Amino acid sequence: MKKYDYMGDVCETECVHDDLVKSVAENMPDEDEMYDMAELFKVFGDSTRVRILSALSVRELCVCDICSVLGMNKSAVSHQLRVLRQTKIVKNRRLGKEVLYSLDDDHIEKIFAMALEHLHE
């Protein structure tokens, strides 16, 4: 088995560009924001949740319709919707006896669309 030559992926000299380092450090989000971003991306890391988001990117749906589209039971879908709601990725509204779910805002729709676009490149 051939060993990976990681040395081709790193600088061959010790050289820190102080002006660049300072500029980047000043323009990065703070630690709390980066933690929150990582948590958001973790939510997108589950294929069931991504399937739910895909369905909701087409239109607002009730839990029963989501279950039917995905071929899943209410308990499993409800659990994933709770996670998505807690992270403000989806929102819900009551319409009589039904609870309808949709993407929380167009930022979520853009993230989803950009991920698909990236995969199609």
Side-chain angles (χ1 to χ4, degrees), residues 37-98:
M37 258 196 283
E39 291 300 310
L40 176 68
F41 284 120
K42 279 184 194 177
V43 173
F44 284 98
D46 179 274
S47 62
T48 299
R49 290 190 288 260
V50 171
R51 291 173 66 214
I52 291 170
L53 295 174
S54 179
L56 295 178
S57 72
V58 176
R59 66 170 302 134
E60 180 180 59
L61 296 168
C62 74
V63 176
C64 296
D65 291 338
I66 295 170
C67 292
S68 183
V69 167
L70 301 183
M72 296 176 63
N73 65 49
K74 266 189 185 181
S75 175
V77 169
S78 293
H79 170 73
Q80 297 302 338
L81 285 169
R82 187 170 27 262
V83 172
L84 291 167
R85 211 173 49 250
Q86 288 171 343
T87 53
K88 297 179 181 163
I89 293 175
V90 301
K91 62 184 176 186
N92 64 5
R93 68 181 180 95
R94 186 168 284 283
L95 184 63
K97 293 183 178 184
E98 295 180 323

Side-chain angles (χ1 to χ4, degrees), residues 12-24:
E12 294 178 21
T13 180
E14 284 294 320
C15 174
V16 176
H17 303 91
D18 293 327
D19 54 334
L20 295 177
V21 170
K22 181 180 179 198
S23 173
V24 169

